[in-house]
Amino acid sequence: MSDTPARFGIEGFASVERDPHGLERVAITTPLANAHIYLHGSHLTHFQPRDRRPILFLSAKSLFQPGKAIRGGVPLIFPWFGPNAADTSLPAHGFARTRAWNLEAITRRGDEAVIEMSLAASDATRALWPHDFELRYRASVGAALEMALTVHNTGAAPFTFEEALHTYLSVEDVRRVCVHGLAGKDYLDKVRGGRRFTEGSAPLTITQEVDRVYVGTRADVTVDDSAADRRLLVSKSDSDATVVWNPWIDRARALADFGDEEWPQMLCIESGNIGESAVTLPPGAEHTMTAIVSSL
Ligand code: TA6
């Protein structure tokens, strides 16, 4: 593993360092927030606005190894969501989250840090998905966290992909949260065999395992974390699906890289294009999806 050149650092603002496991990450310390973004998966694991609690959940049991997904933060999901529909032996949630990305730039925009990373098709990705592409990820770390994932078709034929910014929010107690913004939306319920239901008019509460893909929605989602006396906001653009996930007790126990007692501390609110909102890109075309996460 070679070191990223020191020229990427900005004195007292951003630096490239190795974490305790030996993986490279960008460490951001600005007047507005702290953050960590790994080159592994272009995976943002930590975001904490100044004088606030951390906004993202990261499991104490997470693996930090090349080829393995990090459990928590914001995994980047591409080019398929969940198991591959045609071949379940392929890695769940695609390969973007487990590959080494290139750090393109760290720039300062006032008190914000902007980190840009890229991932291009290679023989290894073509063995899993036979298309030429370039991904660009831009994370702006300020009072809010703004993420933009751009997919560029660099090949000669169209391709179709799914994607998600699989955001693990940190909550004090998931049993006491209210999720606003999904009322009246249709969802596919993975806990009930993927069947389609329509959300009622009341805010969503979490009382058991929840694994839902809300479809046809670009709405903001607010998580009212009453036990912490704060609200978290996820807003987005060019994303037509919102996933809500908490594994609850039994599924948490079944996940080797997730603590048995950690499930009350997280709720995934994921911005994506999944299933019926999968995106088809002609040669040369680009698609950008964004999500903004903040604490109100
Ligand atoms: O986004 C929800 C989900 O697809 C769930 O079905 C759940 O399994 C979760 O992602 C985590 O998947 P992972 O492959 O990271 O274990």
Side-chain angles (χ1 to χ4, degrees), residues 77-99:
I77 309 305
F78 173 89
W80 59 84
F81 183 86
N84 182 284
D87 181 354
T88 51
S89 72
L90 293 175
H93 287 318
F95 49 75
R97 64 177 178 166
T98 51
R99 300 214 57 83

Side-chain angles (χ1 to χ4, degrees), residues 69-71 75 77 81-83 92-93 97 166 168 190 211-212 243-245 251 255 257 268 270:
I70 295 172
R71 176 69 66 196
I77 309 305
F81 183 86
H93 287 318
R97 64 177 178 166
H166 192 306
Y168 285 73
K190 291 213 236 170
D211 192 353
R212 298 178 178 182
V243 179
V244 179
W245 180 57
R251 290 264 305 127
L255 294 170
D257 60 345
C268 283
E270 308 164 30

Side-chain angles (χ1 to χ4, degrees), residues 89-263:
S89 72
L90 293 175
H93 287 318
F95 49 75
R97 64 177 178 166
T98 51
R99 300 214 57 83
W101 287 55
N102 293 317
L103 177 58
E104 297 289 345
I106 304 174
T107 45
R108 186 174 181 152
R109 201 173 58 193
D111 283 339
E112 285 187 9
V114 181
I115 296 87
E116 291 167 87
M117 305 246 198
S118 69
L119 178 71
S122 61
D123 288 346
T125 67
R126 280 186 286 264
L128 299 167
W129 194 63
H131 302 287
D132 284 328
F133 66 87
E134 189 194 28
L135 301 182
R136 291 197 307 279
Y137 180 62
R138 162 189 271 251
S140 305
V141 176
L145 168 65
E146 299 182 21
M147 300 173 281
L149 179 63
T150 299
V151 181
H152 181 193
N153 182 346
T154 55
F159 61 63
T160 299
F161 64 91
E162 297 179 304
E163 59 180 346
L165 295 159
H166 192 306
T167 308
Y168 285 73
L169 297 178
S170 167
V171 296
E172 181 71 17
D173 187 346
V174 79
R175 292 161 293 197
R176 293 180 55 193
V177 306
C178 278
V179 181
H180 299 264
L182 298 168
K185 307 292 184 195
D186 280 6
Y187 62 92
L188 307 177
D189 192 341
K190 291 213 236 170
V191 175
R192 292 187 278 176
R195 279 183 292 141
R196 194 174 183 116
F197 297 88
T198 302
E199 189 60 71
S201 55
L204 175 66
T205 53
I206 313 295
T207 57
Q208 57 188 338
E209 180 187 356
V210 176
D211 192 353
R212 298 178 178 182
V213 180
Y214 287 84
V215 296
T217 176
R218 294 194 169 194
D220 291 357
V221 170
T222 307
V223 176
D224 198 343
D225 182 12
S226 59
D229 199 20
R230 76 167 176 180
R231 285 184 304 146
L232 300 175
L233 172 66
V234 181
S235 49
K236 58 181 192 161
S237 67
D238 292 286
S239 151
D240 284 323
T242 297
V243 179
V244 179
W245 180 57
N246 179 278
W248 209 251
I249 301 163
D250 293 343
R251 290 264 305 127
R253 289 204 178 118
L255 294 170
D257 60 345
F258 189 96
D260 289 355
E261 311 302 332
E262 288 182 319
W263 60 270

Side-chain angles (χ1 to χ4, degrees), residues 42-106:
S42 193
H43 196 130
L44 206 144
T45 56
H46 174 64
F47 170 59
Q48 181 169 22
R50 182 78 44 222
D51 301 327
R52 304 266 180 131
R53 300 154 58 112
I55 286 190
L56 301 175
F57 166 86
L58 177 63
S59 173
K61 288 282 181 66
S62 178
L63 301 172
F64 290 89
Q65 287 170 20
K68 303 279 186 198
I70 295 172
R71 176 69 66 196
V74 188
L76 298 185
I77 309 305
F78 173 89
W80 59 84
F81 183 86
N84 182 284
D87 181 354
T88 51
S89 72
L90 293 175
H93 287 318
F95 49 75
R97 64 177 178 166
T98 51
R99 300 214 57 83
W101 287 55
N102 293 317
L103 177 58
E104 297 289 345
I106 304 174

